[in-house]
Amino acid sequence: MPIYLKDKSEFPELERFKSVLIVPCRFCPAASMAVRKNKPYFEFLRRFLKTGSYEHLIDTIKSNLEKKGVKTDVFKSRLLHQFVVCMWTSRRRK
């Protein structure tokens, strides 16, 4: 698992689209952010399977795009697959 991923909250290349679906991976990036910010990865009683600092980044990205007139939504799934297997294999990314 990568430990230090660089987060970014601005995506000018997406501003030309009318709508964007944000599909966050809640494993590696969330763990990386928790380690860097020295925050808990999970707070089961407060956020169940969500990382507070990572959720804040997702909200910031969504807000920044909406300020530019891009309609956004965040993909949500109740299945736990995203905590066990990465959905984005190198082949799928290509």
Side-chain angles (χ1 to χ4, degrees):
M1 177 183 87
I3 298 298
Y4 291 102
L5 299 173
K6 295 179 183 176
D7 52 296
K8 71 187 253 193
S9 58
E10 296 285 334
F11 294 89
E13 63 273 15
L14 298 178
E15 293 172 10
R16 62 186 176 97
F17 295 104
K18 291 181 182 178
S19 63
V20 170
L21 177 64
I22 300 170
V23 183
C25 174
R26 300 192 188 281
F27 192 68
C28 295
S32 174
M33 182 166 272
V35 168
R36 278 188 292 110
K37 296 196 177 228
N38 199 26
K39 299 283 184 179
Y41 179 47
F42 290 135
E43 295 174 276
F44 287 106
L45 298 177
R46 292 184 69 201
R47 292 188 177 88
F48 187 51
L49 294 175
K50 293 184 178 182
T51 305
S53 54
Y54 188 58
E55 295 304 314
H56 178 70
L57 175 64
I58 293 168
D59 291 342
T60 300
I61 293 168
K62 187 176 187 312
S63 174
N64 288 345
L65 287 169
E66 288 174 346
K67 286 177 187 172
K68 305 287 184 174
V70 180
K71 182 180 174 186
T72 65
D73 200 2
V74 179
F75 174 79
K76 294 177 178 80
S77 174
R78 297 197 183 272
L79 301 175
L80 296 178
H81 67 277
Q82 60 191 4
F83 297 102
V84 181
V85 177
C86 183
M87 295 187 334
W88 298 100
T89 62
S90 59
R91 182 175 180 186
R92 183 171 286 176
R93 284 191 302 267
K94 289 178 184 176

